[in-house]
Amino acid sequence: MSWQDDIDELNRRRALAENMGGAEKVARQHARGKMDARARIAALLDPGSFREIGKIAGRGSYDANGDLVDLAASNFIFGRGDIAGRAVVASADDFTVRGGAADAALHRKFVQCEAMAHELRLPLIRMIDGTGGGGSVKSLETMGYTYVPMVPGWEHIVTNLDTVPVVALALGPTAGLGAARTVASHYSVMVKGLSQVFAAGPAVAAAIGETIDKEGLGGTDIHCRNGVVDDEVASEAEAFAAARRFLSYLPQSVGSFGARTLCDDPVDRREDALLSAVPRNPAEVYAMRRVLTGVFDAGSVFEMGRRWGRAVITAFARLDGWPVAVLASDPSYLGGSWEAKTSEKAERLVKLADQFRLPIVHLVDNPGFMIGAEAERAGTIRYGVNAMNAIYRATVPLASVIVRRAYGIAGSAMSNAERFQYRFAWPSGDWGSLPIEGGIEVAYKSELEASADPAAHLADIRARLNKVRSPFRSAEHFMVEDIIDPRDTRPLLCEFATLAWARLAASG
């Protein structure tokens, strides 16, 4: 009366599913320099932690007696696993089975995967390789009809963006729905030379008269510069490492808290290099990333989106083990001026931090919104105001450090001026409604024209104004809260992180 025969049949079907698209197609996948779907899941997750769901779903072939001859596995693999001991939902498209294009089994598995993530409040990692859409034009003849477009389960994708951290790894050509699934995430990665993202591939682009290869249409040089995808890495292993690290700063879901880690970097560490980090000559640039290294826990800075919106650095980091989100100006690009993409990038980071309850640290050196005809054509002011609105709407604690410049509307977007300003300024601080450079000649035009020595008179005016613009004058009137020795930045921000996380814990 045993069920052993059925268990044997189950195990046979499981073994057939392990074949994926067959030895030849798996070998072809490897020859392209790509890992297969099952190897990707094994490389991403903690060893032995994956429990696959729907493994034997697919298309069975049967003989005249109705007995299974072969099983063509579904091209979508998903299940529950662990990353650093924390439960996640992981999925991988199997390009060896019909190029990752959708089939009946995929649709329901795809929906169930997305639903599992938000209903159980588990982070989701999508490994995307293929179209993931509705098949090819050739499939119309097989079906015998066409249909009005829809995406089964897209509601769950939207819900996941509101409830759990979502990571998308583009690990091959991703078109149509595959591209949409890549973008519908909180953090996305492409592998240089291996991944491409596009609404439709080169063959379809040829129909509108464009002859272009996959890289030229949607490679990393396109999408890691325009902000469609956050980061470029050199290998699949680096993509998995980036996903794991991103998730390490975030909570399991909205409503829970990110984890504090053990920290052996002293809270009272004072970096002497910070004292000379900012040049006295305001025209000289400096390396803001070195400032980040000097301030945050050693080795904890995880930058995202380095190749787009480059006037601002967006990152996660830790202070005494507490996770925080980081905005930092980069004066080496456009002098730190916020143009449209920079503003979009800043807005995205602030919204992400607020959604997942991470305190924000903003290191400021912002001469204002980018000016000029190109900046106006790009709609810079609209994107800039959106970023400012995000900062004003954020409810998590925010600390700002004025490292150098803070001018105009963009400078005022450093924090919400209507709330308590947890703010410090370095002695290099330089602020106002607009920089005096370039404005003196206009403001003092008649006085300079009447002078016997306009050049000397201009130098005298500049010297007087430089005394007035001293940050100490602002501090006298409590227009800035505290001017600090730059070497005290880390201890003070560690104190902020402790207070911020206590407040977040108290507010639930």
Side-chain angles (χ1 to χ4, degrees):
M1 301 296 292
S2 169
W3 289 89
Q4 187 58 49
D5 288 347
D6 297 88
I7 298 303
D8 291 342
E9 176 65 9
L10 173 61
N11 289 333
R12 183 167 79 98
R13 289 172 178 258
R14 287 175 172 170
L16 289 170
E18 293 277 352
N19 294 331
M20 295 175 282
E24 182 181 341
K25 290 185 178 178
V26 171
R28 193 180 306 160
Q29 174 89 346
H30 295 166
R32 294 188 180 108
K34 297 161 64 177
M35 298 172 69
D36 62 72
R38 294 190 176 277
R40 285 168 172 165
I41 286 176
L44 172 73
L45 301 176
D46 295 352
S49 69
F50 185 57
R51 184 180 71 78
E52 187 173 350
I53 297 172
K55 183 171 185 175
I56 64 172
R59 297 178 182 176
S61 301
Y62 294 86
D63 62 19
N65 297 321
D67 295 323
L68 182 72
V69 175
D70 196 7
L71 176 70
S74 166
N75 51 15
F76 182 78
I77 301 168
F78 88 99
R80 174 245 184 262
D82 291 341
I83 289 180
R86 298 169 62 196
V88 300
V89 176
S91 70
D93 297 345
D94 186 354
F95 193 81
T96 70
V97 181
R98 294 178 296 285
D103 63 14
L106 183 148
H107 279 154
R108 188 164 189 277
K109 288 180 77 174
F110 165 79
V111 172
Q112 287 293 292
C113 173
E114 297 284 334
M116 181 184 184
H118 68 77
E119 290 189 18
L120 296 180
R121 296 297 191 268
L122 298 176
L124 173 64
I125 305 98
R126 305 184 190 114
M127 290 179 278
I128 303 168
D129 186 2
T131 63
S136 67
V137 173
K138 190 176 181 181
S139 65
L140 296 178
E141 194 169 21
T142 303
M143 293 166 56
Y145 64 95
T146 189
Y147 52 87
V148 177
M150 63 167 291
V151 179
W154 192 262
E155 178 183 0
H156 297 299
I157 288 180
V158 174
T159 303
N160 278 330
L161 287 173
D162 292 337
T163 54
V164 297
V166 180
V167 176
L169 307 179
L171 302 177
T174 60
L177 181 56
R181 291 168 60 218
T182 301
V183 174
S185 61
H186 298 112
Y187 180 59
S188 55
V189 177
M190 294 175 70
V191 180
K192 186 173 180 62
L194 193 72
S195 310
Q196 299 86 31
V197 174
F198 24 63
V204 181
I208 62 170
E210 292 188 4
T211 302
I212 192 168
D213 64 12
K214 289 186 292 186
E215 276 295 303
L217 184 61
T220 56
D221 282 345
I222 304 292
H223 291 311
C224 294
R225 292 179 184 272
N226 64 16
V228 166
V229 171
D230 292 302
D231 281 332
E232 168 194 279
V233 295
S235 67
E236 293 191 57
E238 289 185 29
F240 306 145
R244 290 192 294 266
R245 193 160 182 208
F246 173 84
L247 291 174
S248 72
Y249 296 91
L250 295 174
Q252 287 290 88
S253 65
V254 169
S256 59
F257 294 109
R260 186 185 188 187
T261 60
L262 293 175
C263 176
D264 57 8
D265 190 356
V267 169
D268 58 357
R269 173 168 59 83
R270 299 175 81 246
E271 287 291 326
D272 286 338
L274 295 178
L275 193 58
S276 55
V278 178
R280 281 197 168 273
N281 181 351
E284 289 183 28
V285 300
Y286 59 95
M288 179 64 83
R289 289 178 177 84
R290 292 181 186 171
V291 175
L292 269 61
T293 300
V295 167
F296 296 101
D297 292 357
S300 74
V301 177
F302 175 66
E303 185 177 351
M304 300 166 291
R306 185 164 183 157
R307 297 187 67 192
W308 73 284
R310 291 165 49 199
V312 69
I313 298 165
T314 53
F316 293 136
R318 293 186 182 274
L319 289 164
D320 194 20
W322 295 110
V324 295
V326 180
L327 277 178
S329 302
D330 187 353
S332 69
Y333 184 77
L334 301 178
S337 297
W338 282 21
E339 32 76 72
K341 282 297 180 185
T342 294
S343 299
E344 181 185 355
K345 181 176 168 182
E347 177 190 9
R348 189 168 180 228
L349 188 280
V350 170
K351 286 182 174 179
L352 182 66
D354 198 46
Q355 178 181 357
F356 289 106
R357 313 306 292 157
L358 291 176
I360 301 169
V361 174
H362 190 180
L363 303 182
V364 181
D365 185 354
N366 190 337
F369 290 131
M370 191 64 188
I371 60 174
E374 183 57 37
E376 299 301 336
R377 282 191 288 268
T380 296
I381 189 64
R382 176 175 293 279
Y383 289 99
V385 168
N386 286 343
M388 186 174 182
N389 289 347
I391 288 170
Y392 268 70
R393 289 187 178 118
T395 59
V396 294
L398 184 151
S400 54
V401 180
I402 306 176
V403 176
R404 189 161 64 176
R405 294 161 300 182
Y407 277 97
I409 300 298
S412 72
M414 73 177 77
S415 55
N416 184 341
E418 305 305 318
R419 294 172 56 186
F420 170 68
Q421 292 276 45
Y422 207 116
R423 180 166 61 185
F424 308 103
W426 286 10
S428 47
D430 177 19
W431 43 69
S433 59
L434 75 167
I436 68 167
E437 288 78 19
I440 298 176
E441 291 86 345
V442 176
Y444 292 86
K445 181 179 179 181
S446 59
E447 188 175 325
L448 289 169
E449 288 175 347
S451 172
D453 188 347
H457 194 62
L458 178 62
D460 182 62
I461 294 171
R462 192 182 301 277
R464 297 198 318 262
L465 290 176
N466 280 336
K467 290 182 180 295
V468 172
R469 71 197 282 201
S470 163
F472 299 112
R473 295 284 190 101
S474 299
E476 286 177 21
H477 294 272
F478 199 55
M479 298 305 293
V480 66
E481 291 70 30
D482 286 298
I483 298 175
I484 63 169
D485 183 327
R487 293 169 293 187
D488 291 329
T489 306
R490 172 173 170 76
L492 289 168
L493 287 180
C494 285
E495 178 184 88
F496 161 75
T498 300
L499 294 173
W501 274 100
R503 200 220 87 175
L504 290 172
S507 61

